[in-house]
Each structure stands twice: as C-alpha cells, then as structure tokens.
Amino acid sequence: MVLAVSLETILIALAVLALLGVVLEEVIHIDKAKTTLLFGTFSWLLLFIFPENPDYRAEINHSLRENLTEISTLWLFLVAAMTFVAYLNKKGLIESLLHRVMPETISERRLLFFTAIFSFLFSSLADNITATLVSIALILSLGLPANKIMRFAVLVVFSVNSGGVSLITGDVTTLMIFLAGKVSILNLFWLSLPAFIAVITLTLLLSIGMNGRVRIKKQARPIRKLDYAIATIFLITIIFTIAANVLFDIPPVLSFLSGLSVMFIVARLFSEDNDQDPILEYIRYIEFDTLLFFLGILLLVGMLQHIHALDFLVSLYQFMPPVFANYLMGITSAAVDNVPLTAALLKTGIEMNLTSWLGLTYAVGVGGSLLVIGSAAGIVAMSKVPGLSFARYAKYSFLVLLAYTLGYFLVLWLGSLIAY
C-alpha cells in the first residue's frame, strides 16, 4: 500500500511537471510537445513496471488501450482537417482572396470589424494557429501604428477562439466534448450566435478612438484551378461531415478521411500531383508539434483518470452550480491550457444537462483569451506581433472579460431555450 501511495504521488508530480513545462515554455525554451510526451509516456511505463498488484497489469493495459483509441480518433480527424488547411495556406489562397475582396482604402473602424468577422469565420474552418497566423499577417502588412496593432492583435485572439467553438473543425476542445457525446453538431451551431455577438461587442469597445484610414496594398497571387477545386472539396467535406453525422451517425473522422482521399485523387486528375509538388507532401506541413502535444496531454490525463486523481474536480461541481463552475473553468483556462483542463473534466464523468455542456464548451474555448498565454492563438500572436507582451495584452483583459461574460450568459440563455 505504501508503494502504491508513493507511486501515485510520483505520477501526480510528473503531471504537475508537465503542466509547468507548458506554462513555462517560453522561459525554459523546450517545446511543450516534448515535455508532455515525455511525462505522458513515462507515467504509463511506471504504471506497468510498478503496479499495485501484478494482476492489475491487465486492467492498466485495458485503460491504456481505451486512452489510445480516443487519441487516435482525435489525431486522425485533425491530420485530415489540417492537411486541407496546410495546402490552402501554403498556396496563398486565403491571402489572395482577402486582398481581392478588400478595397484600396478603408477606415480603421471598418477594418477592425472586417478583421473580427474574418477571424471568426476562418477559425471555424481552420485550426486556431493557422487562423491567427493569416489574420496577424494581414494586419502587420498594413503598417498601422504600434498602439493600434495591439488592439487588432487582441481582437484577433478573441475572435479566433470564439469562432472555433461552434464547429468541431475549429477548436480541439469543442471536438473533444463532441466526441465524448456531450453535445451534437446541431447543438454546437447555437454557440455561433452568442459567440459572434461577443466578438462584435469587443470590436465596438476596441473601436473607440479608431478614426484614421488605411491604404491597402494589393498583393493578390494567381490562383490555380486546382486550388479552387481543393478549397471546394474542403467546404463540401465539412458540409458532408455535418450532414452525415446528423442523418446517419457517421463519425466525423471517417468523413474527413474520405474528403482527404478525394483531395488526393483530384490533384492527380489535374495532373498536378507530380514529383515537383506531390500532394501527399502537404501532410508534412501540418503542425505535428501540436498533435504531439495533444498526444502527451491526453496520455497524462488518461493516467490521472486511471489512478482517480481527477476526482477533486468533481468536488467543485458539488459545491457550486455548473453555471458558475463552468464560468470559472473558462477563466482558469487562461492560466491552465484548455486541452488538459477539458480532458480532465471529461474523464471525471461529471453529469450536466445540455445547457451546461454548451456553457462549458464556450467557456473553455473562449476563456483562454483573457490572457495572451491562455491559448494557442495568443501565443502565436505574441510571437508574431512586435511589442505584444503579457503586460500590454493584459491592459485589454477587462474588455475581453466583459465580452467573454456576455457571450457565456447568452449561451446559457440560448441553451435553456433549446432544452425547453
């Protein structure tokens, strides 16, 4: 028994070290994917080597297999979705379309609204990192004053995080909650309205004092027919994934892998899939460090669930109603990465109604916007925008909190109407 208690203590300490590695990534200069993967795999090795009872190894193996099955479903879906986005981003399709639709001159206030709407919509289709990179690149190309760029950067982070919560292609935590069977795709659509209202509210607050005009340099690149074709396949795949899941309960991972295979075949039919530009090579352009981070985190959370170390999270929901607990979880996600936080909550088996699950989905997806280090979008923005620091971003945290709070309680209101 002493051995078992000491082992659990060691395993919890490894999880804490992994979490510290994520939080202090910019300080220790070690990619969070490396630290989480190391501690995630090492913790399971310790479980096998030092079981509480030799007969428990079969139970440990069963838990690990279940954990890996959940991870593989998430992984394969993300690989398919991110390959589409990697291709379109590498070909410059998104930037080209943006420059074609934007006027030569635009007011700063209109540009702020344009940025908010684009970031919101694009992040629903693409991953948060790509959506942030494209949006920030557009802003930096306009030569705005540094103090105004800060406002745009804050808005991009909030808009990207808000746009991703209503579609499983837009945010990993939304996908995780959907795969756990807590919400349906149709339920998630309702999140888009309050999330969009919150984005527009923050845009209005940030637009105060923005009275100048901006001249936009047209930099549209030529777009090939194949690029249009693959963009169309991507949109059709998303629509088919939603319809197939609603009508036939087809898992989204199967639909997206099918769409990816169509993309490969179409590229071949266009005679563009050659040795100089093989279509399969675009899988290499996806953020594998992000995927490895998810792998390490989910291994750690699976281990913590196996040793019942996550039971303390349930106590929070026993002491206060889910409406307040979920709100606090969203704020907590600004300091603790939302992926392990969401995974931990799902592993505890907390029972909530649909309204509360929608509230949690919004909270953990958007709450990270409160601090620049609270989300992948914020980290990317901080690395790309000169002068964007923790302190400078924090000057706008109160405005972000107001928008987040409005969006959260609008989600609860809409959720109550759906349940009714």
Side-chain angles (χ1 to χ4, degrees), residues 41-334:
T41 53
F42 191 56
S43 62
W44 279 101
L45 288 173
L46 290 178
L47 276 174
F48 276 100
I49 296 172
F50 302 107
E52 184 178 351
N53 186 308
D55 295 333
Y56 288 176
R57 285 198 175 98
E59 182 182 334
I60 296 170
N61 187 53
H62 177 72
S63 296
L64 178 61
R65 286 177 179 274
E66 285 188 343
N67 197 205
L68 291 175
T69 299
E70 295 173 1
I71 294 170
S72 63
T73 302
L74 177 68
W75 246 62
L76 290 172
F77 178 87
L78 291 175
V79 166
M82 293 169 76
T83 301
F84 273 110
V85 177
Y87 176 89
L88 297 175
N89 191 42
K90 196 72 177 177
K91 295 299 182 182
L93 178 66
I94 308 300
E95 293 91 336
S96 296
L97 292 177
L98 278 176
H99 282 286
R100 292 187 182 192
V101 300
M102 293 181 69
E104 292 186 358
T105 60
I106 186 173
S107 68
E108 290 177 343
R109 186 167 295 172
R110 285 186 61 193
L111 180 62
L112 202 66
F113 278 91
F114 178 89
T115 302
I117 295 171
F118 168 75
S119 300
F120 181 87
L121 294 176
F122 186 44
S123 65
S124 298
L125 306 178
D127 60 277
N128 288 358
I129 294 176
T130 301
T132 307
L133 284 172
V134 173
S135 300
I136 292 296
L138 172 66
I139 298 307
L140 292 179
S141 68
L142 301 178
L144 296 168
N147 63 322
K148 293 182 178 179
I149 288 179
M150 295 301 157
R151 297 193 188 194
F152 277 93
V154 172
L155 182 61
V156 165
V157 172
F158 186 78
S159 300
V160 164
N161 288 331
S162 299
V165 298
S166 59
L167 278 179
I168 58 175
T169 53
D171 191 274
V172 175
T173 54
T174 298
L175 176 61
M176 291 167 64
I177 294 172
F178 166 77
L179 292 177
K182 305 302 182 183
V183 294
S184 69
I185 287 181
L186 290 180
N187 296 151
L188 290 172
F189 278 145
W190 288 98
L191 292 178
S192 59
L193 180 58
F196 184 71
I197 292 174
V199 167
I200 295 301
T201 300
L202 181 61
T203 307
L204 287 169
L205 294 173
L206 292 174
S207 67
I208 298 174
M210 302 280 280
N211 300 316
R213 295 193 66 82
V214 180
R215 180 175 294 276
I216 298 174
K217 299 176 182 178
K218 296 290 186 176
Q219 300 174 350
R221 293 163 54 179
I223 302 175
R224 303 178 304 168
K225 292 182 179 180
L226 176 61
D227 301 337
Y228 281 121
I230 290 181
T232 302
I233 294 170
F234 182 39
L235 293 176
I236 291 175
T237 299
I238 293 174
I239 295 171
F240 175 75
T241 297
I242 296 170
N245 181 262
V246 172
L247 297 176
F248 308 111
D249 291 326
I250 296 176
V253 61
L254 182 60
S255 301
F256 252 86
L257 288 174
S258 300
L260 188 65
S261 65
V262 172
M263 168 186 170
F264 294 153
I265 296 299
V266 167
R268 183 61 183 171
L269 294 176
F270 270 83
S271 300
E272 298 287 348
D273 187 16
N274 50 51
D275 293 336
Q276 284 71 40
D277 190 25
I279 194 71
L280 283 171
E281 285 293 307
Y282 287 91
I283 294 180
R284 297 187 180 186
Y285 293 121
I286 65 179
E287 296 88 6
F288 274 100
D289 54 342
T290 301
L291 292 175
L292 290 174
F293 166 67
F294 294 153
L295 172 59
I297 281 295
L298 294 176
L299 282 172
L300 278 167
V301 172
M303 174 274 295
L304 292 173
Q305 188 267 340
H306 177 77
I307 65 174
H308 304 287
L310 300 177
D311 294 346
F312 75 95
L313 286 173
V314 181
S315 62
L316 177 64
Y317 287 81
Q318 293 173 342
F319 284 113
M320 64 177 66
V323 59
F324 298 116
N326 289 338
Y327 179 80
L328 291 178
M329 285 298 169
I331 294 176
T332 302
S333 70

Side-chain angles (χ1 to χ4, degrees), residues 340-402:
L341 183 64
T342 304
L345 287 169
L346 291 173
K347 287 292 184 181
T348 59
I350 295 172
E351 295 293 334
M352 296 190 295
N353 58 28
L354 174 61
T355 300
S356 296
W357 280 114
L358 289 173
L360 179 65
T361 304
Y362 178 86
V364 295
V366 181
S369 308
L370 294 169
L371 298 176
V372 73
I373 61 170
S375 65
I379 297 296
V380 170
M382 188 166 58
S383 67
K384 296 297 180 182
V385 178
L388 179 60
S389 62
F390 182 92
R392 288 187 176 179
Y393 187 96
K395 292 180 180 179
Y396 300 95
S397 291
F398 179 69
L399 298 181
V400 176
L401 178 62
L402 290 178

